[in-house]
Amino acid sequence: MPFAERALEADRVDAVVIGGGINGTGVARDLSLRGLRVALFERNDLAFGASGNSSGMIHGGVRYLSQAPKVTESSCRDSGYIQRTAPHLLFRIPFLMPLESGPKARILLELVDAYFRAYDDFQPLKRGKPHCRLDPHDLAKLEPGLVGATVGGVTFDEWGVDGARLCVLNAIDAIENGARVHLHTTVESIGKIGEDAGEGPDRYVVEGRHRLTQDRVRVRAHVVINATGAWSPITASLGGLPQARARVRPGKGIHVVLDRRVTNYGIVSEAIDGRQMFIFPWQNVSVIGTTDDDYFGDLDDVRATSEEVRYLVQGVARVFPSVREARAIGTYAGVRPTLYAYGKNEDALSREHEVVDHAADGAPGVYSMLGGKLASYRMFAQELCDRVLPADFDSSAACTTHTRPLPGGDRVPDAVGLATAHGITPVAARRLVYRHGERALRVLDRAVRSEGGLDVTCPCEPVLESEVRYAVREEMARTVDDVSRRTRLGLGACGGMRCAARCGQIVAQELELPPAEGHAMARDFLDRQARSRIVALGPEQARQEALAQAHVRASLGGSR
């Protein structure tokens, strides 16, 4: 039976974690490895929010060095740990920062050079190469597409990562160490248990409802951890806690995805209002990002707008005009749960994190995780667990998340060898190894045993049929959307029009659902993809997109 359908075997656990983003899955993994019984609840899917919609980098926090060096240090240190525990999932992205000519340009170059010399002290923590100072000739040689007069620039290293895969791997490791994970399950109440309500150390009862099956789940726990990011105030109110105690300042960040790598380097630029932005290669596409604006809308439906897309493209095109020649194939948007502060500009908000103990609010054993970054999630989780265990469980169990490999991280198989041995393309093998590490062998072994397992379901990524089935059986995927987060199916140039229908068929087969439900999943996914793409398209491309979408929807049937 798939993980997503497993009922909780007992109604008592040590800790309930609410939120399936990187903080929630990181805490669930850490607590499970320290011997606690854990139940995790997520109302949507793993990495549905900021974790799955980030810039896709475990970066070193170079921009925070002057005002928050602690953030830079923790980001670099955790980047090094993640590289050791999930070596298959990270890849190097070298960045160029060109500096425009002007009256004070040479002074600025000296200051930037000195700034990055200070940053070099942190580079060994994340296995980054020291920065390099460049003259205009060096810049033009490295990236001929740069335009405008420059005084020079600098290089620095960052590391790319698939944030959704990182969440999935943390959740899988937690499950393999005894945790129960309830996805698509809305927590409807967090209540206190009276002293006369039976034996045991339980203090709280958490009740949830599965959004797809309507099944109800009721769990008793000693500790409750709110790791719902931008939703934190809403979650706190479910337990009768003041929303102000879990207040964050949601910041919307959007990215534009181009159909190919237009450069081999990340390039830093400035928008019209002076804010910093960038374009960088991310695997087989390019990504432009990012905005940083206060957000007051629906947290479950965050979308980019055409104005935001133009803002980003215009800013990058100033120094790298060939970006306009590439085809935009989509956008994605998320909301950062930055710590609340009134009066500051959005990009000046702290990227620090904070653990709030709600004992002062009359709820001992309830904690909220506020703020934080993808790059330092593991350290944030360790900080919370180091606080919870001695205070609530009288335990001194040590953290091992910085040394224990994530699933598949024991070793990285040779992709070319796998391709030759199993008769698949080297590209398909490399992508499989990137996502699964050593466990790519499990996916391919399953493919050999099943008819059609080596067939390509998504040619853009590419994704094999066996990987889709593996995502459902072993990684808790319940919809085409879920499969996409785990495999990047449908996120390429076709936007899912060549693979969503087949993926829906496979998911329906695996979950023993009627074929019509598979078609409905595919239509929902295509609708979501269309909404994310349309804001980045010109008139001609939009018309062609509408025709293609109508043809695919007609082939799937249904009223939409």
Side-chain angles (χ1 to χ4, degrees), residues 96-100 139 146-147 150-154 266-269 319:
L96 304 176
M97 179 185 284
L99 299 174
E100 295 182 15
L139 278 172
L146 288 171
V147 299
T150 67
V151 69
V154 296
I267 299 172
V268 179
S269 182
V319 299

Side-chain angles (χ1 to χ4, degrees), residues 317-341:
R318 286 184 62 251
V319 299
F320 193 68
S322 59
V323 70
R324 295 190 183 277
E325 299 173 9
R327 178 187 171 206
I329 61 172
T331 64
Y332 60 94
V335 177
R336 305 174 188 86
T338 40
L339 296 178
Y340 182 81

Side-chain angles (χ1 to χ4, degrees), residues 100 268-278 288-292 308-319 347:
E100 295 182 15
V268 179
S269 182
E270 281 189 355
I272 191 170
D273 57 5
R275 294 191 186 189
Q276 203 171 80
M277 58 180 51
F278 47 77
I288 304 174
T290 175
T291 59
D292 195 352
E308 290 168 329
V309 171
R310 286 198 295 270
Y311 170 83
L312 291 178
V313 173
Q314 180 189 67
V316 171
R318 286 184 62 251
V319 299
D347 53 357

Side-chain angles (χ1 to χ4, degrees), residues 33-186:
L33 288 174
R34 301 200 205 196
L36 269 64
R37 298 169 298 167
V38 178
L40 183 145
F41 289 84
E42 165 57 49
R43 74 182 304 266
N44 294 295
D45 183 30
L46 297 171
F48 176 85
S51 303
N53 294 285
S54 70
S55 296
M57 284 189 290
I58 297 289
H59 63 79
V62 62
R63 62 179 288 195
Y64 314 123
L65 178 61
S66 60
Q67 295 185 345
K70 180 182 176 182
V71 174
T72 302
E73 191 274 342
S74 63
S75 297
C76 289
R77 187 177 299 280
D78 246 20
S79 174
Y81 287 142
I82 296 167
Q83 289 173 54
R84 286 193 285 272
T85 59
H88 59 291
L89 201 59
L90 273 75
F91 52 94
R92 187 185 299 273
I93 304 177
F95 267 81
L96 304 176
M97 179 185 284
L99 299 174
E100 295 182 15
S101 296
K104 299 181 180 179
R106 294 206 170 275
I107 296 175
L108 180 61
L109 179 60
E110 294 294 337
L111 292 173
V112 170
D113 186 35
Y115 186 89
F116 275 90
R117 282 201 300 273
Y119 183 59
D120 286 344
D121 292 340
F122 299 95
Q123 291 274 27
L125 296 174
K126 66 184 183 76
R127 295 197 305 126
K129 295 181 179 179
H131 88 286
C132 182
R133 179 169 169 169
L134 306 173
D135 61 28
H137 175 74
D138 295 328
L139 278 172
K141 187 175 181 180
L142 287 172
E143 182 43 77
L146 288 171
V147 299
T150 67
V151 69
V154 296
T155 68
F156 60 98
D157 271 356
E158 296 296 3
W159 292 87
V161 70
D162 187 328
R165 285 300 308 170
L166 193 60
C167 286
V168 170
L169 295 182
N170 274 275
I172 293 298
D173 204 27
I175 289 169
E176 293 179 353
N177 285 277
R180 279 86 168 186
V181 174
H182 299 274
L183 303 183
H184 300 287
T185 303
T186 299

Side-chain angles (χ1 to χ4, degrees), residues 129-464:
K129 295 181 179 179
H131 88 286
C132 182
R133 179 169 169 169
L134 306 173
D135 61 28
H137 175 74
D138 295 328
L139 278 172
K141 187 175 181 180
L142 287 172
E143 182 43 77
L146 288 171
V147 299
T150 67
V151 69
V154 296
T155 68
F156 60 98
D157 271 356
E158 296 296 3
W159 292 87
V161 70
D162 187 328
R165 285 300 308 170
L166 193 60
C167 286
V168 170
L169 295 182
N170 274 275
I172 293 298
D173 204 27
I175 289 169
E176 293 179 353
N177 285 277
R180 279 86 168 186
V181 174
H182 299 274
L183 303 183
H184 300 287
T185 303
T186 299
V187 172
E188 296 185 330
S189 67
I190 306 169
K192 290 184 179 180
I193 299 175
E195 296 181 0
D196 57 348
E199 299 179 358
D202 307 323
R203 294 186 288 197
Y204 301 97
V205 58
V206 177
E207 296 187 350
R209 177 177 52 83
H210 198 285
R211 300 175 69 191
L212 303 181
T213 66
Q214 303 307 311
D215 291 341
R216 293 192 172 273
V217 183
R218 189 171 187 269
V219 181
R220 296 170 65 151
H222 190 60
V223 164
V224 177
I225 298 165
N226 174 12
T228 53
W231 290 262
S232 292
I234 300 171
T235 305
S237 68
L238 295 175
L241 300 173
Q243 291 195 23
R245 288 279 289 148
R247 195 174 189 182
V248 294
R249 187 169 159 186
K252 180 183 177 183
I254 78 121
H255 298 79
V256 182
V257 183
L258 306 180
D259 64 342
R260 61 188 182 274
R261 292 170 68 111
V262 297
T263 173
N264 288 322
Y265 300 93
I267 299 172
V268 179
S269 182
E270 281 189 355
I272 191 170
D273 57 5
R275 294 191 186 189
Q276 203 171 80
M277 58 180 51
F278 47 77
I279 179 172
F280 63 93
W282 199 97
Q283 299 291 320
N284 55 350
V285 298
S286 296
V287 176
I288 304 174
T290 175
T291 59
D292 195 352
D293 300 302
D294 286 318
Y295 184 72
F296 302 96
D298 183 355
L299 294 172
D300 288 328
D301 189 23
V302 186
R303 305 182 198 175
T305 67
S306 56
E307 290 80 9
E308 290 168 329
V309 171
R310 286 198 295 270
Y311 170 83
L312 291 178
V313 173
Q314 180 189 67
V316 171
R318 286 184 62 251
V319 299
F320 193 68
S322 59
V323 70
R324 295 190 183 277
E325 299 173 9
R327 178 187 171 206
I329 61 172
T331 64
Y332 60 94
V335 177
R336 305 174 188 86
T338 40
L339 296 178
Y340 182 81
Y342 190 87
K344 290 186 177 181
N345 289 332
E346 297 95 324
D347 53 357
L349 293 172
S350 171
R351 265 45 174 187
E352 292 271 12
H353 58 251
E354 179 183 352
V355 176
V356 175
D357 185 345
H358 290 288
D361 306 311
V366 177
Y367 301 86
S368 288
M369 301 177 72
L370 307 181
K373 297 163 63 268
L374 185 69
S376 53
Y377 84 91
R378 193 215 57 82
M379 192 171 292
F380 192 7
Q382 179 181 347
E383 181 180 318
L384 181 134
C385 295
D386 286 345
R387 185 168 177 174
V388 167
L389 263 71
D392 296 281
F393 298 100
D394 194 26
S395 171
S396 59
C399 176
T400 59
T401 57
H402 60 302
T403 57
R404 176 189 172 92
L406 283 159
D410 303 89
R411 71 179 185 89
V412 182
D414 174 51
V416 176
L418 287 183
T420 302
H422 292 86
I424 60 176
T425 67
V427 174
R430 281 198 297 271
R431 303 304 294 141
L432 198 63
V433 168
Y434 171 73
R435 287 188 284 270
H436 299 276
E438 187 176 32
R439 295 195 177 188
L441 298 171
R442 298 188 184 184
V443 180
L444 290 172
D445 287 344
R446 186 186 301 275
V448 170
R449 295 195 303 269
S450 61
E451 184 177 354
L454 294 176
D455 291 348
V456 175
T457 301
C458 173
C460 295
E461 180 52 25
V463 178
L464 303 179

